[in-house]
Amino acid sequence: MSLLRGCALLLLVFAVAPAALALNYKITVENEIPGGVETGQPFSPPVAIVHGLEYMLWELGEPASPGLAMVAEEGATMTLEMEAGADPDVRSVTVGTGGPFFDSRTFEITAEPGDLLSIAWMLGRTN
């Protein structure tokens, strides 16, 4: 069983829009921990997964998937990208560029009404 130390997770529900209307969203992950590059908290690239109700990035009381564990432990995104991309309930997987980063990263996703968004990234320097 993998422990998810230092992994920030966020679930959002999109606002309802007219039926079958895909919308573009800009998402910014901002590091507000003081200290800059020398002493601040580094973040790995965020992984954003747009999905329906059947997909779960994680479940309470269950071990993390290998991909989520890799993000949480090493900041590596590729395994989670492949896992999520293979799920039929996942609409898209987007990875923010650059890492580790100490400031902010902005990326764009497209979603339809009723879609959910799960985002995972690693907080570095945590023990």
Side-chain angles (χ1 to χ4, degrees):
M1 177 187 303
S2 178
L3 299 177
L4 295 180
R5 292 191 183 125
C7 185
L9 301 173
L10 174 67
L11 293 174
L12 298 173
V13 179
F14 286 98
V16 177
L21 178 62
L23 298 172
N24 295 322
Y25 295 87
K26 275 190 179 178
I27 298 173
T28 300
V29 175
E30 188 168 317
N31 189 344
E32 293 189 356
I33 298 171
V37 175
E38 293 78 29
T39 61
Q41 176 69 54
F43 288 173
S44 72
V47 179
I49 304 166
V50 177
H51 58 89
L53 293 172
E54 298 300 315
Y55 176 80
M56 298 291 289
L57 180 59
W58 58 276
E59 290 188 49
L60 188 61
E62 297 296 320
S65 72
L68 186 56
M70 290 291 288
V71 170
E73 295 169 2
E74 299 177 24
T77 63
M78 188 179 302
T79 304
L80 181 57
E81 289 176 74
M82 291 187 325
E83 286 175 358
D87 190 294
D89 203 40
V90 169
R91 319 278 193 261
S92 67
V93 179
T94 303
V95 178
T97 59
F101 68 92
F102 295 83
D103 49 5
S104 67
R105 290 293 180 266
T106 299
F107 54 94
E108 293 186 21
I109 62 163
T110 300
E112 294 183 7
D115 283 347
L116 302 175
L117 172 65
S118 298
I119 302 177
W121 68 91
M122 180 189 78
L123 304 174
R125 298 184 186 156
T126 59
N127 286 328

